[in-house]
Amino acid sequence: MIQTTLTPFAQKLGFPLTKQPITILQINLGKRCNLACNHCHVEAGPKRSEELNLDISFQLIELIERFPQIQTVDLTGGAPEMNYGFKLLVEAARTTGKQVIVRSNLTIYFVPGYEDIPEYCANHQLRIVASLPCYLENNVAQMRGKGVYQDSIQALQWLNRLGYGRTPELILDLVYNPALPTAEKFTLPSEQSKLERAYKEYLKQQFDIDFNQLLTITNLPIGRTKSYLQQKKLENSYLEFLEFNYNPETVSHLMCRNQLSIDYQGYIYDCDFNQMENIPARTTSGKPLMVSDLLAANNLDLIETVQTASYCYGCTAGCGSSCGGALI
């Protein structure tokens, strides 16, 4: 149970968090992944089998093709490349001129059957947002497992050879996550531009790797991170730390305001975090909203108010945090 000393996020805001016109579809294709990282809020892994099916894929394609207001299709997972519908959605989005983001763990490129993914991404000019939670090997090993760092470095070099991070049309961004705390000594991500310089200098000097941007993302108490914090009896303290660092200037930039998060079953959420905590967006009658409802209404903008929870403090602490990195 979360202590009552924590101010409810909606009360902290003092006003309803309203939606803006939807421009981003973030689609979670499923929970299949070749890794099981200890900070994964999706709790994805090799033993998970949940993934998109043909019917939902076709509904999503219709959504992508019907609404020109959608500027970006953001594909995540699990490892999105492993889950059904990946290439179907990529090609539908690129055919209609939309940007496609693929959130990759990089190591998937070395799994048999997926060796074509780097070239496929380059051919379709997909923006790759790749997880590399630290530029130092030991830190990555602790968070993601032994051998992941070496595979990630080789994958980044592979992408560089294809032109990623070195030509304007092939964008390669990296994602930083702080290490999980072992005691009540919590930290927010370092200032994004400063940390980006450190990443670029180290990776260039050590491995001749180039990339575009570093995106810093705060660990939210969801999924495996939540379980870890509960095990260490740190969840309440961490939430209080996030509330203490609440920054109202981040609110107007929150990603939940202009995006829809969609799960592999076709349910709609305000954000990926609400999706993992099973807090769906709802119709006016209280029914969980689905892709089929958007198609039937011929309208992406059916949600008026974002549903909030205590973990929203993670997105509004310090410089803010989103799937696009720091907010301010």
Side-chain angles (χ1 to χ4, degrees):
M1 289 288 292
I2 294 170
Q3 296 174 344
T4 55
T5 55
L6 191 77
T7 309
F9 186 78
Q11 181 179 326
K12 177 75 76 172
L13 273 181
F15 54 85
L17 187 59
T18 53
K19 280 284 197 186
Q20 297 168 341
I22 299 302
T23 59
I24 300 171
L25 292 186
Q26 186 175 75
I27 303 169
N28 188 301
L29 279 71
K31 298 182 185 290
R32 295 177 63 212
C33 189
N34 59 306
L35 300 178
C37 302
N38 65 12
H39 65 292
C40 180
H41 69 281
V42 181
E43 299 184 87
K47 296 181 180 179
R48 303 300 295 263
S49 59
E50 305 97 318
E51 65 180 338
L52 211 60
N53 64 35
L54 184 63
D55 288 344
I56 301 301
S57 296
F58 284 164
Q59 290 180 24
L60 289 167
I61 288 169
E62 186 175 352
L63 208 67
I64 290 165
E65 292 177 344
R66 188 188 296 185
F67 293 99
Q69 75 186 74
I70 300 170
Q71 298 172 9
T72 301
V73 175
D74 185 344
L75 302 178
T76 184
E81 305 96 329
M82 285 187 79
N83 289 272
Y84 182 83
F86 171 69
K87 291 183 179 180
L88 289 174
L89 294 175
V90 163
E91 288 158 31
R94 294 302 292 142
T95 298
T96 53
K98 303 180 194 312
Q99 181 189 55
V100 175
I101 295 173
V102 179
R103 297 191 180 271
S104 182
N105 66 30
L106 296 173
T107 65
I108 186 64
Y109 304 161
F110 303 104
V111 174
Y114 301 97
E115 302 95 335
D116 67 316
I117 294 297
E119 283 78 6
Y120 179 86
C121 291
N123 290 339
H124 290 85
Q125 296 185 0
L126 309 186
R127 176 185 170 192
I128 295 176
V129 176
S131 178
L132 191 70
C134 185
Y135 56 80
L136 299 175
E137 182 173 357
N138 287 344
N139 292 7
V140 173
Q142 289 175 13
M143 296 177 74
R144 305 187 69 200
K146 186 178 180 181
V148 170
Y149 183 81
Q150 293 91 336
D151 282 351
S152 298
I153 293 299
Q154 290 182 43
L156 291 170
Q157 292 171 330
W158 186 350
L159 292 171
N160 277 173
R161 290 194 296 272
L162 293 172
Y164 270 100
R166 293 176 174 172
T167 57
E169 65 274 10
L170 296 178
I171 298 173
L172 173 61
D173 296 333
L174 301 183
V175 173
Y176 164 84
N177 295 92
L180 296 178
T182 56
E184 288 191 17
K185 188 178 180 182
F186 307 120
T187 58
L188 294 172
S190 301
E191 198 272 318
Q192 186 167 276
S193 60
K194 182 178 179 181
L195 192 56
E196 178 180 291
R197 287 194 294 272
Y199 261 72
K200 286 191 171 182
E201 181 178 328
Y202 185 86
L203 292 176
K204 186 66 175 177
Q205 288 182 352
Q206 298 295 319
F207 307 108
D208 193 29
I209 286 172
D210 298 299
F211 67 95
N212 294 93
Q213 299 179 82
L214 181 72
L215 312 178
T216 57
I217 298 181
T218 301
N219 290 320
L220 268 67
I222 295 171
R224 292 197 185 111
T225 296
K226 180 179 180 178
S227 298
Y228 172 87
L229 291 169
Q230 289 175 339
Q231 180 186 0
K232 297 288 185 181
K233 295 181 170 52
L234 294 173
E235 182 186 16
N236 296 338
S237 300
Y238 184 59
L239 282 166
E240 289 167 0
F241 165 78
L242 294 175
E243 182 189 357
F244 179 79
N245 286 279
Y246 170 74
N247 182 352
E249 293 183 14
T250 62
V251 173
S252 62
H253 304 286
L254 288 171
M255 64 180 180
C256 56
R257 304 192 72 177
N258 69 328
Q259 80 164 26
L260 297 177
S261 174
I262 305 173
D263 74 7
Y264 64 93
Q265 300 176 97
Y267 286 99
I268 309 291
Y269 305 80
D270 290 307
C271 67
D272 189 49
F273 307 120
N274 278 3
Q275 182 182 145
M276 297 311 135
E277 287 291 293
N278 195 28
I279 304 176
R282 296 185 182 275
T283 64
T284 52
S285 65
K287 172 182 170 289
L289 193 64
M290 300 191 72
V291 173
S292 55
D293 297 313
L294 301 180
L295 292 171
N298 197 32
N299 186 357
L300 289 180
D301 299 303
L302 296 181
I303 306 169
E304 294 183 0
T305 305
V306 174
Q307 298 193 64
T308 61
S310 57
Y311 48 77
C312 297
Y313 283 119
C315 294
T316 54
C319 293
S321 178
S322 76
C323 292
L327 296 175
I328 58 173

